[in-house]
C-alpha cells in the first residue's frame, strides 16, 4: 500500500491547532433543529441496507433526524423511499420491518397504497360504500416519494430533492474505493448496537481521526500511529494506515485500512485485503443516536461460522471501546470548560475540523452560527 498524498485535499492543510465546535453544537435543541433542517435534509444521507429488503413487498421504516421515512422493495425489485405518512390524517403507516404483500395499508382508516406509493383505496371516504367524493383526486394523494439512490448495499436519500446527483456528491469517496470488485462483495453479518448516548457528530469525528487508535484500541488493534495519515477530499474525510506487515486475525486488527466517511453520516471501513465494514448512523436527538454495522467480504470467499463470530466479537469490542469514549465526550459537554470546543491537533484531527466546517456551513443556512 502506498500512502495517498495529503495535498490532494480540497481543504487547506492545518498548520496550527484550532478549537473544535462549541459545546452547544452537541447539546443544544436549536442547533439540533437546524441540523435536521439543513445537514440531514439537503445532503445525501444513508438510511439503510438494501440486504434488509430482500423480497418484493418488504418494508423498513426509519426515522432520520426526526424525518419518518419508509423503504419499500417494489414489484420491479427496486427499492424506493417515501415519507412514512398516510395522506389522510398523516399517521405513520409502518412501525416495524416486515412484508406488506402488494399493498401498504394504513391501520387507522384502511387507506391502501401500492408498492409504488399510488393510492389504491380510500374506503367509505365519501360515505358508506362511497369510496370517491367530489373534489377528491386519488392520483394526487399517493405517498410522497423521497429522492433516493441505492449504491451497492446502501440506501441514501436527499430529502429536499435539491442536492447534486449522488455520483457527483460521493465522487471523492468512490474514487478511493477503486479496485473493489463489487460483484464479489457479500454481507456476512450485522451488529446492532442500539442506542448510544452521544451526539451523532462524536461518532463521526471519532471514526475519521487516527489519534485515539493506539490508546483506546491497544488490546484490539495493532496499527501504530506513525503509520497513519489523514484524508480530506470534498465530501470524503477520514484516515488511513499502510502497514508493511499484515498481522490481522479474527481477534485483532493489524492490517492496512481505509477509514472513510461521506458527509454527513456514512462510514465505510476498508480492511485489506478482503473486508469492508459499513456503519448505519441514525441521529435521534442532540444527545442520542442509533448505530448498526454490516460486515462484508470483498473477494467472494466463504468464512466458517467460527470466523464470522470471531469477526463479530472483534468489531463489537472495538465499537464498545469507541462508544465509551464518545459517551464521555457527551458528558464532558456539560462543563463550562467545554464552551470553546477544546483544541484539535493540526496533524491528526484536521479531518475532524474539515467535517466540522461542513456542519457549520450547513447550519448557517438556518441562521445559526
Amino acid at each position: 500500500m502506498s500512502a495517498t498524498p495529503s495535498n490532494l485535499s480540497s481543504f487547506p492543510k492545518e498548520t496550527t491547532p484550532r478549537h473544535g465546535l462549541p459545546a452547544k453544537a452537541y447539546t443544544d435543541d436549536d442547533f439540533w433543529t437546524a441540523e435536521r433542517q439543513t445537514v440531514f435534509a439537503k445532503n445525501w444521507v444513508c438510511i439503510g441496507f438494501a440486504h434488509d429488503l430482500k423480497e418484493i413487498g418488504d418494508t423498513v421504516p426509519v426515522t432520520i433526524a426526526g424525518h419518518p421515512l419508509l423503504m419499500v422493495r417494489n414489484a420491479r425489485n427496486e427499492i424506493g423511499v417515501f415519507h412514512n405518512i398516510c395522506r389522510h390524517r398523516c399517521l405513520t403507516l409502518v412501525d416495524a420491518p416486515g412484508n406488506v404483500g402488494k399493498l401498504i395499508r394504513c391501520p387507522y382508516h384502511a387507506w391502501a397504497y401500492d408498492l409504488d406509493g399510488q393510492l389504491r383505496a380510500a374506503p367509505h371516504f365519501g360515505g358508506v360504500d362511497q369510496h370517491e367524493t367530489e373534489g377528491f383526486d386519488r392520483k394526487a394523494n399517493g405517498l410522497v416519494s423521497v429522492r433516493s439512490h441505492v449504491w451497492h448495499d446502501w440506501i441514501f436519500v436527499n430529502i429536499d430533492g435539491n442536492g447534486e446527483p449522488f455520483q457527483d456528491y460521493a465522487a471523492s469517496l468512490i474514487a478511493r474505493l477503486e479496485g473493489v470488485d463489487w460483484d464479489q462483495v457479500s454481507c456476512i453479518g450485522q451488529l446492532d448496537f442500539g442506542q448510544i448516548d452521544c451526539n451523532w457528530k462524536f461518532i463521526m469525528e471519532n471514526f475519521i481521526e487516527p489519534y485515539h487508535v493506539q490508546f483506546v484500541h491497544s488490546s484490539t488493534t495493532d496499527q501504530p500511529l506513525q503509520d497513519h495519515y489523514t484524508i480530506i477530499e470534498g465530501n470524503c474525510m477520514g484516515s488511513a494506515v499502510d502497514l508493511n506487515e499484515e498481522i490481522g486475525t479474527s481477534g485483532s486488527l493489524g492490517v492496512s485500512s481505509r477509514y472513510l466517511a461521506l458527509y454527513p453520516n456514512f462510514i465505510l471501513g476498508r480492511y485489506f485485503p478482503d473486508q469492508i465494514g459499513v456503519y448505519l448512523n441514525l441521529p435521534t436527538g442532540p444527545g442520542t443516536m442509533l448505530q448498526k454495522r454490516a460486515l462484508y467480504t470483498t473477494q467472494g470467499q466463504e468464512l466458517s461460522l467460527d470466523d464470522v463470530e470471531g469477526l463479530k466479537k472483534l468489531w463489537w469490542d472495538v465499537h464498545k471501546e469507541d462508544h465509551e469514549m464518545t459517551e464521555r465526550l457527551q458528558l464532558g459537554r456539560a462543563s463550562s470548560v467545554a464552551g470553546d470546543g477544546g483544541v484539535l491537533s493540526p496533524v491528526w484531527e484536521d479531518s475532524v475540523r474539515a467535517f466540522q466546517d461542513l456542519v457549520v456551513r450547513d447550519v448557517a443556512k438556518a441562521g445559526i452560527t
Side-chain angles (χ1 to χ4, degrees):
M1 301 298 155
S2 60
T4 302
S6 46
N7 61 9
L8 289 179
S9 166
S10 60
F11 289 83
K13 188 69 177 174
E14 298 283 357
T15 57
T16 58
R18 294 174 61 187
H19 287 291
L21 292 175
K24 74 173 187 177
Y26 304 89
T27 61
D28 183 70
D29 286 334
D30 289 340
F31 198 95
W32 165 241
T33 297
E35 288 183 328
R36 290 176 55 197
Q37 296 170 350
T38 59
V39 173
F40 291 99
K42 298 180 179 300
N43 297 293
W44 283 99
V45 178
C46 185
I47 63 167
F49 299 115
H51 69 252
D52 285 336
L53 298 101
K54 294 183 175 65
E55 307 294 334
I56 292 172
D58 281 354
T59 58
V60 176
V62 61
T63 298
I64 177 71
H67 302 276
L69 306 178
L70 181 64
M71 296 172 278
V72 180
R73 187 172 287 277
N74 65 24
R76 297 181 302 281
N77 208 29
E78 299 168 341
I79 293 175
V81 182
F82 303 94
H83 290 276
N84 188 16
I85 299 296
C86 180
R87 296 300 302 280
H88 176 213
R89 297 287 299 280
C90 301
L91 188 86
T92 52
L93 287 165
V94 179
D95 63 356
N99 190 286
V100 297
K102 296 181 179 180
L103 292 173
I104 303 165
R105 296 185 185 274
C106 178
Y108 200 14
H109 299 97
W111 282 34
Y113 307 85
D114 65 23
L115 302 181
D116 291 315
Q118 298 300 309
L119 179 62
R120 295 302 181 185
H124 314 294
F125 187 56
V128 176
D129 294 328
Q130 299 296 315
H131 311 310
E132 304 288 346
T133 188
E134 185 177 353
F136 176 65
D137 183 356
R138 183 181 293 185
K139 291 182 179 180
N141 284 278
L143 299 183
V144 177
S145 64
V146 178
R147 186 183 181 199
S148 62
H149 184 88
V150 180
W151 181 51
H152 303 299
D153 192 37
W154 312 302
I155 304 167
F156 290 82
V157 294
N158 171 225
I159 293 175
D160 77 357
N162 296 319
E164 63 185 315
F166 177 81
Q167 294 292 336
D168 295 335
Y169 183 88
S172 53
L173 170 65
I174 294 170
R176 289 186 175 274
L177 296 172
E178 185 179 1
V180 175
D181 183 351
W182 294 106
D183 291 334
Q184 295 292 310
V185 174
S186 176
C187 183
I188 60 171
Q190 189 166 298
L191 301 172
D192 187 346
F193 296 102
Q195 179 171 299
I196 307 169
D197 293 328
C198 71
N199 184 276
W200 68 279
K201 293 187 292 298
F202 283 135
I203 287 288
M204 301 301 297
E205 293 169 4
N206 178 80
F207 182 80
I208 61 179
E209 60 92 343
Y211 192 17
H212 74 283
V213 172
Q214 67 179 2
F215 309 113
V216 175
H217 304 304
S218 59
S219 64
T220 52
T221 66
D222 189 5
Q223 296 180 330
L225 182 62
Q226 65 266 22
D227 294 324
H228 286 80
Y229 54 94
T230 58
I231 293 170
I232 310 169
E233 188 175 2
N235 293 317
C236 175
M237 52 218 66
S239 67
V241 57
D242 294 311
L243 302 180
N244 293 323
E245 182 181 3
E246 314 284 3
I247 56 173
T249 70
S250 61
S252 179
L253 181 65
V255 297
S256 296
S257 306
R258 301 291 180 268
Y259 302 96
L260 304 172
L262 180 67
Y263 179 81
N265 75 323
F266 182 72
I267 285 176
L268 183 149
R270 184 180 182 186
Y271 311 97
F272 292 90
D274 56 12
Q275 290 181 37
I276 284 176
V278 169
Y279 309 64
L280 180 59
N281 301 301
L282 300 175
T284 55
T288 57
M289 62 170 289
L290 304 174
Q291 186 182 63
K292 294 181 180 179
R293 176 190 172 98
L295 289 72
Y296 304 84
T297 56
T298 64
Q299 296 183 358
Q301 72 274 41
E302 294 186 8
L303 301 182
S304 69
L305 290 177
D306 286 344
D307 285 339
V308 171
E309 290 305 311
L311 283 173
K312 285 183 176 180
K313 183 182 185 306
L314 168 63
W315 286 113
W316 184 272
D317 291 345
V318 169
H319 285 299
K320 285 301 181 182
E321 291 169 344
D322 284 327
H323 295 163
E324 179 184 356
M325 297 299 106
T326 59
E327 290 182 339
R328 290 172 67 171
L329 283 166
Q330 188 71 34
L331 292 172
R333 290 316 183 269
S335 170
S336 59
V337 176
D340 65 1
V343 64
L344 300 174
S345 166
V347 177
W348 305 117
E349 293 168 310
D350 55 341
S351 52
V352 172
R353 188 65 223 187
F355 169 81
Q356 294 180 350
D357 285 343
L358 293 180
V359 173
V360 171
R361 176 203 68 185
D362 283 346
V363 298
K365 298 171 186 175
I368 291 182
T369 58

